[in-house]
Amino acid sequence: MAGRQGHASHPAIHVPTTSRLVPRRMTRPSFRARVSSATPSTEPKPDPFATKEVYSDSDPISKFSIWYFSKVMSENLGNKPFDGTYESFVELSREIMRGRTTKQQQETVASVLGNLLPPQSPQRFRQWFPLSRRTAEFNAWITTLGFTWLVGPSELTEVEIEFEGRKQVWKSGVKIKKCRYLENSGCTGMCINMCKVPTQKFFTDTFGLPLTMNPDFETLECEMIFGQAPPPIEQDEVYNQPCLSVCNIAKLSDTVGGGNSSPPACPKTDTDRTAAMAKRSASKTGASV
């Protein structure tokens, strides 16, 4: 009897339970996850300008940094008035853009960056901090500590760097969570010509520390990679970046684009390109008349 009961209980209890429940639990969640990831989202992307970040700028470091940067910028503009606020700092940036070509804007910012430092700083930096993993990681760390007032909160990240003929992983990346400067300026051209390009050039050419900056215009995040040389601006993805949704030029001329057509590049990114396009357009208009 004991043997028969054991034989009967095995198929009645264990076998059906295992065959019915385990495969369902194992396969269904995995199948659903694959379908969800393969299906493109139809929801609109969140607007990074919908909610503006609030900064107090009440600490001594932020107050002094904003005032000092503004002071040097003002001197390069013939002592343009400023009130020491971040908004005034951004307005001085707009003044640098007005009436200047892209190259002139970048040269003015380079002059500002140079005047922020004591004499012979670049030479001493190159001597004391030759390109190495330690130098790149140290500068990334300093950026997260000292420039929150300028770009907002950021954090260190690991990045892949090609150094001395081989790829290495350095903790020399900086992820800016939501760039304060880009949020307040609302301008693609200001981001590229007043920040990205001159800062890359300043570190790479003046200090001898390669730097690449990759702004994300959909989220207002930005990635800084110390130790990685930037590509020529014409080969950079940002070169063809259209205007932002809050830009007045975009609102007036529909440069954000619509329908199935690709939006044109921000006209402030390269003034020479914009002028050449306008000239060609005027030439075609005259020929058709």
Side-chain angles (χ1 to χ4, degrees):
M1 291 293 293
R4 291 177 182 176
Q5 289 176 355
H7 178 73
S9 62
H10 180 73
I13 297 175
H14 296 289
V15 174
T17 301
T18 303
S19 61
R20 288 177 186 172
L21 297 181
V22 173
R24 291 180 182 178
R25 290 175 182 174
M26 291 291 290
T27 58
R28 285 190 177 183
S30 176
F31 175 76
R32 289 174 183 172
R34 286 196 295 268
V35 171
S36 176
S37 62
T39 303
S41 176
T42 57
E43 295 182 2
K45 295 181 180 179
D47 181 5
F49 295 100
T51 304
K52 188 173 182 180
E53 302 297 322
V54 178
Y55 301 87
S56 64
D57 297 325
S58 58
D59 62 284
I61 294 178
S62 296
K63 282 185 176 180
F64 174 77
S65 299
I66 294 172
W67 174 84
Y68 185 55
F69 270 67
S70 299
K71 174 180 176 292
V72 176
M73 293 170 68
S74 173
E75 291 172 351
N76 277 263
L77 291 168
N79 295 314
K80 193 80 175 176
F82 66 95
D83 61 14
T85 63
Y86 191 84
E87 290 72 20
S88 178
F89 165 76
V90 174
E91 186 57 35
L92 287 172
S93 299
R94 292 193 178 96
E95 285 294 327
I96 291 178
M97 292 189 72
R98 291 190 180 104
R100 290 180 173 85
T101 65
T102 297
K103 184 177 180 180
Q104 291 171 339
Q105 294 169 26
Q106 296 172 6
E107 289 174 346
T108 303
V109 176
S111 176
V112 169
L113 293 174
N115 292 334
L116 290 169
L117 304 173
Q120 298 182 344
S121 292
Q123 295 88 334
R124 291 172 181 171
F125 184 93
R126 284 174 174 268
Q127 180 182 357
W128 297 340
F129 303 101
L131 178 58
S132 65
R133 174 175 180 171
R134 180 177 297 180
T135 298
E137 293 182 343
F138 176 74
N139 277 269
W141 177 67
I142 289 294
T143 300
T144 62
L145 294 180
F147 290 92
T148 300
W149 68 270
L150 177 61
V151 297
S154 60
E155 60 185 8
L156 291 173
T157 61
E158 289 187 340
V159 291
E160 188 176 80
I161 302 294
E162 188 167 339
F163 183 65
E164 295 181 341
R166 61 189 182 92
K167 292 183 178 180
Q168 306 177 28
V169 176
W170 294 1
K171 202 167 187 177
S172 63
V174 176
K175 179 185 177 182
I176 300 170
K177 299 179 181 180
K178 185 178 182 181
C179 180
R180 184 183 187 184
Y181 186 75
L182 180 55
E183 180 184 28
N184 279 263
S185 67
C187 178
T188 300
M190 283 184 69
C191 167
I192 296 173
N193 295 317
M194 302 296 297
C195 182
K196 172 181 164 64
V197 173
T199 304
Q200 289 180 163
K201 187 175 179 63
F202 186 71
F203 274 92
T204 303
D205 297 344
T206 305
F207 279 168
L209 174 60
L211 169 65
T212 295
M213 299 178 67
N214 298 317
D216 187 329
F217 294 94
E218 291 186 351
T219 63
L220 306 189
E221 295 177 354
C222 184
E223 178 188 41
M224 302 178 70
I225 307 176
F226 289 91
Q228 182 182 94
I233 185 59
E234 293 80 9
Q235 299 176 19
D236 200 309
E237 291 182 0
V238 303
Y239 187 66
N240 293 311
Q241 175 67 31
C243 290
L244 297 169
S245 60
V246 296
C247 177
N248 290 329
I249 294 180
K251 293 175 182 178
L252 292 173
S253 59
D254 195 29
T255 55
V256 173
N260 297 322
S261 61
S262 298
C266 169
K268 295 182 180 180
T269 300
D270 186 343
T271 54
D272 291 338
R273 174 178 61 179
T274 302
M277 291 175 62
K279 186 176 180 180
R280 287 196 298 268
S281 178
S283 177
K284 290 180 180 178
T285 303
S288 62
V289 173

mmCIF file of all heavy atoms in Angstrom, residues 14 22 31 36 75 85 89 115 121 132-133 146 160 168 171-172 180 218 249 255 280:
data_model
loop_
_atom_site.group_PDB
_atom_site.id
_atom_site.type_symbol
_atom_site.label_atom_id
_atom_site.label_comp_id
_atom_site.label_asym_id
_atom_site.label_seq_id
_atom_site.Cartn_x
_atom_site.Cartn_y
_atom_site.Cartn_z
ATOM 1 N N HIS A 14 3.203 16.650 -8.026
ATOM 2 C CA HIS A 14 4.413 17.355 -8.464
ATOM 3 C C HIS A 14 4.471 17.591 -9.964
ATOM 4 O O HIS A 14 4.807 18.660 -10.419
ATOM 5 C CB HIS A 14 5.658 16.565 -8.024
ATOM 6 C CG HIS A 14 5.791 16.491 -6.538
ATOM 7 N ND1 HIS A 14 6.127 17.567 -5.766
ATOM 8 C CD2 HIS A 14 5.603 15.439 -5.682
ATOM 9 C CE1 HIS A 14 6.158 17.221 -4.484
ATOM 10 N NE2 HIS A 14 5.854 15.936 -4.407
ATOM 11 N N VAL A 22 5.664 26.761 -13.965
ATOM 12 C CA VAL A 22 7.024 27.274 -14.158
ATOM 13 C C VAL A 22 7.241 27.887 -15.525
ATOM 14 O O VAL A 22 7.752 28.981 -15.654
ATOM 15 C CB VAL A 22 8.075 26.171 -13.884
ATOM 16 C CG1 VAL A 22 9.458 26.652 -14.259
ATOM 17 C CG2 VAL A 22 8.022 25.778 -12.407
ATOM 18 N N PHE A 31 8.922 37.933 -22.559
ATOM 19 C CA PHE A 31 8.294 38.222 -23.843
ATOM 20 C C PHE A 31 7.735 39.635 -23.865
ATOM 21 O O PHE A 31 7.903 40.378 -24.810
ATOM 22 C CB PHE A 31 7.188 37.188 -24.090
ATOM 23 C CG PHE A 31 6.392 37.442 -25.314
ATOM 24 C CD1 PHE A 31 6.900 37.145 -26.580
ATOM 25 C CD2 PHE A 31 5.128 38.001 -25.223
ATOM 26 C CE1 PHE A 31 6.164 37.384 -27.712
ATOM 27 C CE2 PHE A 31 4.385 38.237 -26.366
ATOM 28 C CZ PHE A 31 4.900 37.938 -27.601
ATOM 29 N N SER A 36 7.791 45.554 -25.567
ATOM 30 C CA SER A 36 7.769 46.952 -25.127
ATOM 31 C C SER A 36 8.966 47.716 -25.659
ATOM 32 O O SER A 36 8.844 48.834 -26.114
ATOM 33 C CB SER A 36 7.756 47.007 -23.597
ATOM 34 O OG SER A 36 7.826 48.330 -23.154
ATOM 35 N N GLU A 75 34.688 94.054 -19.183
ATOM 36 C CA GLU A 75 35.900 94.761 -19.627
ATOM 37 C C GLU A 75 36.174 94.504 -21.096
ATOM 38 O O GLU A 75 36.651 95.388 -21.805
ATOM 39 C CB GLU A 75 37.083 94.331 -18.769
ATOM 40 C CG GLU A 75 36.992 94.826 -17.326
ATOM 41 C CD GLU A 75 38.065 94.236 -16.434
ATOM 42 O OE1 GLU A 75 38.778 93.304 -16.898
ATOM 43 O OE2 GLU A 75 38.198 94.691 -15.286
ATOM 44 N N THR A 85 24.303 89.492 -11.113
ATOM 45 C CA THR A 85 23.409 88.336 -11.090
ATOM 46 C C THR A 85 23.731 87.397 -12.251
ATOM 47 O O THR A 85 24.414 87.775 -13.216
ATOM 48 C CB THR A 85 21.943 88.775 -11.204
ATOM 49 O OG1 THR A 85 21.737 89.430 -12.466
ATOM 50 C CG2 THR A 85 21.580 89.725 -10.079
ATOM 51 N N PHE A 89 24.927 88.022 -16.217
ATOM 52 C CA PHE A 89 26.037 87.287 -16.822
ATOM 53 C C PHE A 89 25.635 86.734 -18.195
ATOM 54 O O PHE A 89 26.389 86.831 -19.173
ATOM 55 C CB PHE A 89 26.465 86.164 -15.883
ATOM 56 C CG PHE A 89 27.340 85.122 -16.499
ATOM 57 C CD1 PHE A 89 28.675 85.363 -16.751
ATOM 58 C CD2 PHE A 89 26.817 83.875 -16.837
ATOM 59 C CE1 PHE A 89 29.485 84.388 -17.329
ATOM 60 C CE2 PHE A 89 27.609 82.899 -17.409
ATOM 61 C CZ PHE A 89 28.946 83.159 -17.654
ATOM 62 N N ASN A 115 41.954 86.082 -19.686
ATOM 63 C CA ASN A 115 42.060 87.165 -18.702
ATOM 64 C C ASN A 115 41.581 86.758 -17.315
ATOM 65 O O ASN A 115 41.808 87.493 -16.340
ATOM 66 C CB ASN A 115 41.256 88.381 -19.175
ATOM 67 C CG ASN A 115 41.880 89.037 -20.401
ATOM 68 O OD1 ASN A 115 43.085 88.931 -20.626
ATOM 69 N ND2 ASN A 115 41.052 89.683 -21.208
ATOM 70 N N SER A 121 49.866 81.273 -16.649
ATOM 71 C CA SER A 121 49.156 80.102 -16.133
ATOM 72 C C SER A 121 49.183 78.917 -17.096
ATOM 73 O O SER A 121 49.428 77.778 -16.669
ATOM 74 C CB SER A 121 47.708 80.472 -15.804
ATOM 75 O OG SER A 121 47.656 81.337 -14.708
ATOM 76 N N SER A 132 47.858 63.140 -18.600
ATOM 77 C CA SER A 132 47.896 61.822 -17.968
ATOM 78 C C SER A 132 46.506 61.514 -17.434
ATOM 79 O O SER A 132 45.629 62.385 -17.394
ATOM 80 C CB SER A 132 48.911 61.783 -16.815
ATOM 81 O OG SER A 132 48.494 62.648 -15.771
ATOM 82 N N ARG A 133 46.327 60.298 -16.995
ATOM 83 C CA ARG A 133 45.044 59.924 -16.410
ATOM 84 C C ARG A 133 44.769 60.760 -15.161
ATOM 85 O O ARG A 133 43.646 61.239 -14.968
ATOM 86 C CB ARG A 133 45.045 58.440 -16.068
ATOM 87 C CG ARG A 133 43.795 57.994 -15.313
ATOM 88 C CD ARG A 133 43.790 56.491 -15.093
ATOM 89 N NE ARG A 133 42.586 56.077 -14.371
ATOM 90 C CZ ARG A 133 42.228 54.825 -14.189
ATOM 91 N NH1 ARG A 133 42.981 53.843 -14.689
ATOM 92 N NH2 ARG A 133 41.123 54.523 -13.519
ATOM 93 N N GLY A 146 33.638 73.119 -8.613
ATOM 94 C CA GLY A 146 33.743 74.563 -8.733
ATOM 95 C C GLY A 146 32.853 75.252 -9.745
ATOM 96 O O GLY A 146 32.854 76.494 -9.811
ATOM 97 N N GLU A 160 35.751 56.039 -21.821
ATOM 98 C CA GLU A 160 36.820 55.313 -22.502
ATOM 99 C C GLU A 160 37.712 56.296 -23.242
ATOM 100 O O GLU A 160 37.244 57.080 -24.072
ATOM 101 C CB GLU A 160 36.239 54.289 -23.476
ATOM 102 C CG GLU A 160 37.287 53.360 -24.078
ATOM 103 C CD GLU A 160 36.683 52.295 -24.976
ATOM 104 O OE1 GLU A 160 36.382 52.638 -26.149
ATOM 105 O OE2 GLU A 160 36.480 51.162 -24.515
ATOM 106 N N GLN A 168 41.674 52.992 -22.610
ATOM 107 C CA GLN A 168 41.667 52.876 -21.157
ATOM 108 C C GLN A 168 40.375 53.464 -20.607
ATOM 109 O O GLN A 168 39.747 54.303 -21.244
ATOM 110 C CB GLN A 168 42.872 53.618 -20.559
ATOM 111 C CG GLN A 168 44.209 53.200 -21.127
ATOM 112 C CD GLN A 168 45.362 54.012 -20.563
ATOM 113 O OE1 GLN A 168 45.300 54.509 -19.442
ATOM 114 N NE2 GLN A 168 46.432 54.136 -21.335
ATOM 115 N N LYS A 171 38.098 57.871 -15.025
ATOM 116 C CA LYS A 171 36.972 58.567 -14.409
ATOM 117 C C LYS A 171 37.157 60.065 -14.627
ATOM 118 O O LYS A 171 37.227 60.864 -13.698
ATOM 119 C CB LYS A 171 36.882 58.252 -12.917
ATOM 120 C CG LYS A 171 35.490 58.482 -12.343
ATOM 121 C CD LYS A 171 35.332 57.865 -10.967
ATOM 122 C CE LYS A 171 33.882 57.967 -10.500
ATOM 123 N NZ LYS A 171 33.675 57.318 -9.187
ATOM 124 N N SER A 172 37.213 60.420 -15.914
ATOM 125 C CA SER A 172 37.466 61.809 -16.295
ATOM 126 C C SER A 172 36.296 62.400 -17.069
ATOM 127 O O SER A 172 36.447 63.390 -17.778
ATOM 128 C CB SER A 172 38.737 61.896 -17.144
ATOM 129 O OG SER A 172 38.596 61.172 -18.363
ATOM 130 N N ARG A 180 22.676 74.842 -16.739
ATOM 131 C CA ARG A 180 22.055 76.109 -16.353
ATOM 132 C C ARG A 180 22.237 77.172 -17.437
ATOM 133 O O ARG A 180 21.322 77.951 -17.721
ATOM 134 C CB ARG A 180 22.668 76.599 -15.042
ATOM 135 C CG ARG A 180 22.019 77.863 -14.493
ATOM 136 C CD ARG A 180 22.718 78.351 -13.240
ATOM 137 N NE ARG A 180 21.989 79.458 -12.635
ATOM 138 C CZ ARG A 180 22.404 80.135 -11.572
ATOM 139 N NH1 ARG A 180 23.551 79.797 -10.983
ATOM 140 N NH2 ARG A 180 21.685 81.128 -11.094
ATOM 141 N N GLU A 218 18.019 67.964 -26.321
ATOM 142 C CA GLU A 218 16.682 67.484 -25.989
ATOM 143 C C GLU A 218 16.454 67.435 -24.478
ATOM 144 O O GLU A 218 15.337 67.599 -24.006
ATOM 145 C CB GLU A 218 16.454 66.098 -26.591
ATOM 146 C CG GLU A 218 16.366 66.097 -28.116
ATOM 147 C CD GLU A 218 15.993 64.739 -28.659
ATOM 148 O OE1 GLU A 218 15.974 63.766 -27.862
ATOM 149 O OE2 GLU A 218 15.721 64.619 -29.867
ATOM 150 N N ILE A 249 14.138 83.245 -32.849
ATOM 151 C CA ILE A 249 14.365 83.031 -34.280
ATOM 152 C C ILE A 249 13.529 81.846 -34.761
ATOM 153 O O ILE A 249 12.928 81.878 -35.836
ATOM 154 C CB ILE A 249 15.857 82.790 -34.576
ATOM 155 C CG1 ILE A 249 16.670 84.055 -34.285
ATOM 156 C CG2 ILE A 249 16.067 82.347 -36.023
ATOM 157 C CD1 ILE A 249 18.142 83.903 -34.536
ATOM 158 N N THR A 255 12.385 77.719 -37.720
ATOM 159 C CA THR A 255 13.618 76.948 -37.900
ATOM 160 C C THR A 255 13.644 75.684 -37.067
ATOM 161 O O THR A 255 14.564 74.905 -37.175
ATOM 162 C CB THR A 255 14.857 77.799 -37.556
ATOM 163 O OG1 THR A 255 14.702 78.317 -36.216
ATOM 164 C CG2 THR A 255 15.035 78.932 -38.517
ATOM 165 N N ARG A 280 23.180 82.881 -51.612
ATOM 166 C CA ARG A 280 22.729 81.974 -52.664
ATOM 167 C C ARG A 280 21.232 82.110 -52.873
ATOM 168 O O ARG A 280 20.742 82.083 -54.011
ATOM 169 C CB ARG A 280 23.095 80.530 -52.306
ATOM 170 C CG ARG A 280 24.572 80.199 -52.437
ATOM 171 C CD ARG A 280 24.794 78.698 -52.461
ATOM 172 N NE ARG A 280 24.353 78.082 -51.206
ATOM 173 C CZ ARG A 280 25.138 77.886 -50.166
ATOM 174 N NH1 ARG A 280 26.405 78.275 -50.219
ATOM 175 N NH2 ARG A 280 24.678 77.298 -49.071
#
